[in-house]
Amino acid sequence: MKKLGLLVCLTLGMSTLAFAEGNAEAGKAKTTTCTACHSTDGNSLIPMNPKIAGQHEGYLVKQLTEFRLASRTGGQEGRNNAVMNGMAAALTDQDIADLAAYFSSQDQKPGETPEDVIEAGQALYRGGNAETGLTSCISCHGPDGKGMGLAGFPVISGQHADYTMAQLKGFRDGTRANDLNGMMRDIASKLSDEEIEILAKYLGGLH
């Protein structure tokens, strides 16, 4: 029961991705177009936009690189998102590295978990669902949801529930397909709408 850990691998595998060395101060100066959606420090106030403060640097590099790739291939490759493709289209490798260094250096503001999903959320996160073959999240994302940066597994705790739900549904229906070896798509295919909602809400306050 160990793979729902990839849960939000919002996802991927990025330990083998080579990237330029980022400079956080330079990155801060390049955040002008990021702040409307993600706020100055990466703690988005908009539930459908992710908090990127404190996210693993390599993971941020991977996502920005793949948004840029999608912009150049008409969404056939990379991570396709109408807004982010446009934002990433003109970024250089150094821009991406600098932005990732900056946002990863910021502190994420924790969220909350509603009382009514704590028990069910904890059970799914730690144990998955044996009846449907759903594996657990904890092996890849850890007991506190902080993931494993070197393995490319992202921080998923403290995230807006609306954003997490959207990503899990995207993996499930294939509209998000930039996960390593299809791991998240395989996991999400076993999730019901109810389980997605429970996990997303549970993760919001996990820390």
Side-chain angles (χ1 to χ4, degrees), residues 22-149:
N23 180 291
E25 281 303 310
K28 183 178 182 179
K30 298 175 180 180
T31 61
T32 305
T33 58
C34 309
T35 57
C37 294
H38 298 287
S39 296
T40 305
D41 64 352
N43 281 290
S44 170
L45 299 176
I46 303 169
M48 281 303 296
N49 295 335
K51 296 179 185 179
I52 54 178
Q55 183 57 266
H56 299 302
E57 185 173 352
Y59 182 79
L60 292 174
V61 168
K62 183 181 193 300
Q63 301 312 304
L64 287 172
T65 300
E66 294 193 350
F67 284 130
R68 184 180 65 184
L69 177 60
S71 76
R72 296 174 178 178
T73 62
Q76 297 302 304
E77 298 180 55
R79 181 176 174 184
N80 193 30
N81 178 278
V83 175
M84 282 305 304
N85 292 1
M87 294 294 103
L91 295 176
T92 66
D93 288 348
Q94 190 62 57
D95 291 335
I96 287 173
D98 291 343
L99 287 167
Y102 171 69
F103 284 117
S104 67
S105 71
Q106 302 304 295
D107 294 326
Q108 185 202 70
K109 294 178 181 178
E112 297 181 351
T113 297
E115 290 287 339
D116 62 347
V117 303
I118 291 177
E119 184 177 353
Q122 185 176 57
L124 276 173
Y125 186 82
R126 295 183 177 182
N129 184 336
E131 292 185 5
T132 60
L134 180 68
T135 50
S136 70
C137 315
I138 198 170
S139 60
C140 293
H141 293 283
D144 57 1
K146 298 302 182 185
M148 293 183 281

Side-chain angles (χ1 to χ4, degrees), residues 152-168:
F153 302 146
V155 177
I156 56 175
S157 59
Q159 189 57 264
H160 295 304
D162 286 359
Y163 176 76
T164 300
M165 283 190 278
Q167 299 313 299
L168 288 174

